């Protein structure tokens, strides 16, 4: 066993995640758990979510929840009545009085103003819009149902409905996308002015149609240099326009970092409800069955929806804290987060690696972070610092999405 011991978790605040697995259509690249054409199951699904929330009560009495994130899938396909039922269950069972950030994901063109207003009235105070691109051709290629005008319309509707905290998801490294086009998307986004921008590199995930097309030679992904150039462009452009690069792929205006996603990156606890949702209590992780019908059947049959779980040992916890914490601009504390006695304990152990990554890592007091140059090789550097060469379990498909492979 290494010199790192399991960090003490001093009752951190926690997040609640609810996975809504319904979409109008399945996008080419998507490996989130979601299904098209299952409107028939929405009512049952909402009833099961309420039931799962009720069952959680005894397990989390001491938890203090401060964020709620409804992701998917496309949660904006729920009706306000559905959302009200979920919110009521949360209020009754887990308490929502301390929740300061309540995010709901919505797709452009699928969230009319009236509905957004009703969501706002139910307490949603942050909207995450899946723009993905502002190029009609690229949106079509990606299998998205909206066009750039829908992005503008839904954004305007959200503002009129009272949302003053909006995230826009945007992709780069898309086949056919030029650096010039990417720059123009960034400029248009800045002009629109969401409070938060998540800019991810498109990755080819197993089991997606995109994977099949790439394997068959029908589509070529941009080369690594183009991917890196697009990443670099976002990292240069957005901070110069008031968006802090507080995480490798996430940018926010002052005070608008996503508090829910920070729970994931900081290794703090969260509860997950719905098919494929994950929960984590600081030491143990578990996950629900990744199948809508299986989930409904288990809940309605009074069985647990949990399909698996694992206790993370101190080495795994260390490696996960390192991998996710290094993604944050503030980095990780080598004492509080990684469990070393002090900074000297850490530097003694990692002398070789700190020398190797002298231009890529910075240790300021007890805080270890990546330099801007280091963000290009985040995964490689984190892996070089893992204890006993053990990789952390990849971040599951729950917001925030899996890290783009940089390095
Ligand atoms: S990318 Fe979003 S909208 Fe598209 S299928 Fe996946 S969850 Fe649904």
């Amino acid at each position: 066993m290494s010199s790192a011991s399991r960090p003490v978790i001093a009752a951190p605040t926690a997040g609640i995640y609810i996975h809504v697995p319904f979409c109008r259509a399945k996008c080419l690249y998507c490996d989130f758990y979601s299904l098209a054409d299952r409107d028939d199951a929405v009512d049952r699904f909402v009833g099961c979510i309420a039931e799962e929330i009720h069952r959680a009560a005894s397990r989390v009495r001491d938890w203090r929840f401060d964020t709620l994130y409804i992701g998917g899938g496309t949660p904006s396909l729920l009706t306000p009545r559905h959302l009200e039922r979920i919110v009521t269950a949360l209020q009754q069972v887990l308490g929502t009085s301390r929740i300061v950030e309540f995010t709901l994901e919505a797709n452009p063109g699928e969230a009319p103003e009236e509905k957004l207003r009703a969501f706002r009235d139910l307490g949603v105070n942050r909207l995450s819009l899946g723009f993905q691109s502002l190029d009609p051709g690229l949106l079509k290629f990606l299998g998205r149902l909206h066009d750039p005008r829908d992005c503008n319309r839904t954004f305007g509707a959200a503002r009129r409905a009272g949302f003053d905290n909006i995230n826009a998801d945007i992709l780069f490294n898309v086949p056919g996308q030029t650096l010039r086009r990417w720059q123009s998307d960034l400029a248009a986004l800045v002009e629109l002015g969401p409070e938060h921008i998540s800019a991810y590199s498109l990755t080819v995930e197993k089991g997606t149609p995109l994977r099949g097309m790439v394997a068959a030679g029908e589509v070529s992904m941009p080369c690594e240099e183009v991917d890196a150039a697009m990443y670099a462009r976002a990292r240069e452009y957005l901070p110069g326009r008031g968006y802090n690069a507080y995480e490798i792929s996430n940018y926010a205006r002052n005070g608008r970092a996503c508090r829910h996603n920070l729970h994931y990156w900081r290794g703090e606890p969260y509860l997950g409800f719905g098919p494929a949702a994950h929960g984590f209590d600081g030491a143990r992780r578990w996950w629900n069955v990744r199948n809508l019908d299986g989930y409904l059947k288990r809940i309605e049959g009074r069985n647990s929806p949990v399909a698996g779980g694992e206790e993370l040992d101190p080495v795994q916890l260390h490696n996960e804290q390192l991998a996710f914490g290094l993604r944050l601009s503030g980095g990780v504390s080598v004492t509080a987060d990684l469990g070393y006695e002090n900074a000297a304990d850490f530097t003694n152990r990692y002398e070789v690696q700190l020398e190797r990554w002298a231009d890529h890592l910075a240790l300021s007091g007890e805080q270890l972070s990546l330099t801007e140059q280091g963000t290009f090789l985040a995964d490689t550097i984190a892996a070089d610092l893992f204890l006993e060469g053990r990789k952390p379990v990849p971040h599951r498909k729950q917001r925030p999405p899996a890290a783009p492979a940089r390095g």
Side-chain angles (χ1 to χ4, degrees):
M1 186 53 223
S2 76
S3 60
S5 55
R6 176 174 292 180
V8 176
I9 295 167
T13 53
I16 301 170
Y17 175 79
I18 294 176
H19 190 76
V20 179
F22 304 105
C23 286
R24 282 268 171 266
K26 197 71 191 164
C27 302
L28 194 70
Y29 57 94
C30 175
D31 78 334
F32 291 123
Y33 180 64
S34 68
L35 305 162
D37 302 324
R38 285 305 309 269
D39 293 359
D40 61 294
V42 178
D43 280 342
R44 276 177 73 201
F45 164 79
V46 171
C48 286
I49 289 285
E51 169 64 20
E52 193 189 358
I53 291 168
H54 278 279
R55 288 187 199 170
S58 59
R59 279 188 286 131
V60 293
R61 276 211 185 90
D62 303 336
W63 293 34
R64 291 180 299 123
F65 298 101
D66 66 350
T67 65
L68 169 57
Y69 194 110
I70 305 199
T74 310
S76 55
L77 295 179
L78 295 178
T79 64
R81 190 175 56 82
H82 289 136
L83 187 65
E84 186 174 13
R85 188 159 178 206
I86 293 171
V87 169
T88 302
L90 289 169
Q91 280 166 346
Q92 289 171 344
V93 179
L94 302 179
T96 52
S97 60
R98 288 201 180 97
I99 286 180
V100 291
E101 183 188 275
F102 179 177
T103 303
L104 182 132
E105 291 180 352
N107 276 342
E110 296 175 17
E113 183 177 335
E114 195 183 331
K115 192 185 242 192
L116 292 177
R117 204 175 287 280
F119 288 158
R120 185 84 186 85
D121 290 344
L122 287 166
V124 180
N125 60 14
R126 183 173 184 272
L127 213 57
S128 181
L129 298 175
F131 281 14
Q132 312 312 347
S133 176
L134 294 170
D135 179 310
L138 294 183
L139 285 171
K140 204 164 175 193
F141 167 77
L142 292 166
R144 304 294 306 202
L145 298 179
H146 65 273
D147 67 23
R149 284 168 304 180
D150 292 319
C151 296
N152 287 315
R153 282 192 203 111
T154 301
F155 188 88
R159 285 289 195 232
R160 288 192 299 279
F163 286 96
D164 63 1
N165 194 4
I166 299 177
N167 167 60
D169 282 343
I170 193 96
L171 288 170
F172 61 91
N173 196 40
V174 180
Q177 186 181 33
T178 60
L179 195 54
R180 182 190 288 260
R181 182 62 243 187
W182 173 233
Q183 171 64 57
S184 127
D185 272 11
L186 290 173
L189 259 189
V190 167
E191 200 181 324
L192 202 56
E195 284 65 36
H196 189 285
I197 296 171
S198 294
Y200 280 95
S201 171
L202 178 67
T203 49
V204 181
E205 303 288 352
K206 267 190 209 154
T208 60
L210 180 60
R211 173 91 164 210
M213 291 163 80
V214 170
E218 294 161 16
V219 166
S220 296
M221 291 300 290
C223 63
E224 272 181 31
E225 288 72 23
V226 169
D227 184 19
M230 289 184 178
Y231 169 75
R233 183 61 59 89
R235 298 282 300 185
E236 288 156 17
Y237 186 77
L238 294 174
R241 279 140 193 96
Y243 290 93
N244 304 316
Y246 74 100
E247 196 266 352
I248 284 187
S249 305
N250 286 275
Y251 305 82
R253 294 211 184 275
N254 280 342
R256 300 305 191 141
C258 178
R259 296 173 74 138
H260 183 81
N261 287 347
L262 282 168
H263 283 313
Y264 299 140
W265 292 316
R266 289 177 176 156
E268 293 168 352
Y270 49 88
L271 276 189
F273 298 103
H278 283 58
F280 179 61
D281 67 5
R284 180 175 169 72
R285 176 171 31 231
W286 63 93
W287 48 90
N288 281 353
V289 59
R290 190 183 159 97
N291 178 295
L292 175 63
D293 290 318
Y295 171 80
L296 299 175
K297 209 169 147 194
R298 286 184 185 214
I299 295 279
E300 289 170 349
R302 303 198 171 281
N303 294 312
S304 167
V306 174
E310 62 183 344
E311 194 79 28
L312 274 68
D313 64 32
V315 171
Q316 285 172 297
L317 283 170
H318 168 280
N319 291 351
E320 292 210 0
Q321 290 273 3
L322 190 60
F324 298 122
L326 277 183
R327 296 182 60 84
L328 295 169
S329 59
V332 282
S333 161
V334 297
T335 53
D337 296 328
L338 301 183
Y340 294 92
E341 263 175 46
N342 48 44
D345 180 21
F346 177 80
T347 50
N348 288 341
R349 180 183 167 81
Y350 286 103
E351 210 179 331
V352 175
Q353 290 92 334
L354 290 173
E355 175 66 29
R356 180 157 48 234
W357 300 111
D359 296 334
H360 300 76
L361 279 171
L363 184 63
S364 171
E366 295 176 345
Q367 211 62 25
L368 179 74
S369 58
L370 294 170
T371 63
E372 186 56 31
Q373 197 179 338
T375 68
F376 285 78
L377 295 170
D379 294 347
T380 305
I381 295 167
D384 198 29
L385 301 176
F386 287 163
L387 289 175
E388 299 175 12
R390 287 169 62 176
K391 286 187 180 175
V393 175
H395 202 43
R396 300 300 303 179
K397 290 292 174 179
Q398 181 158 295
R399 298 301 193 257
R406 309 220 73 82

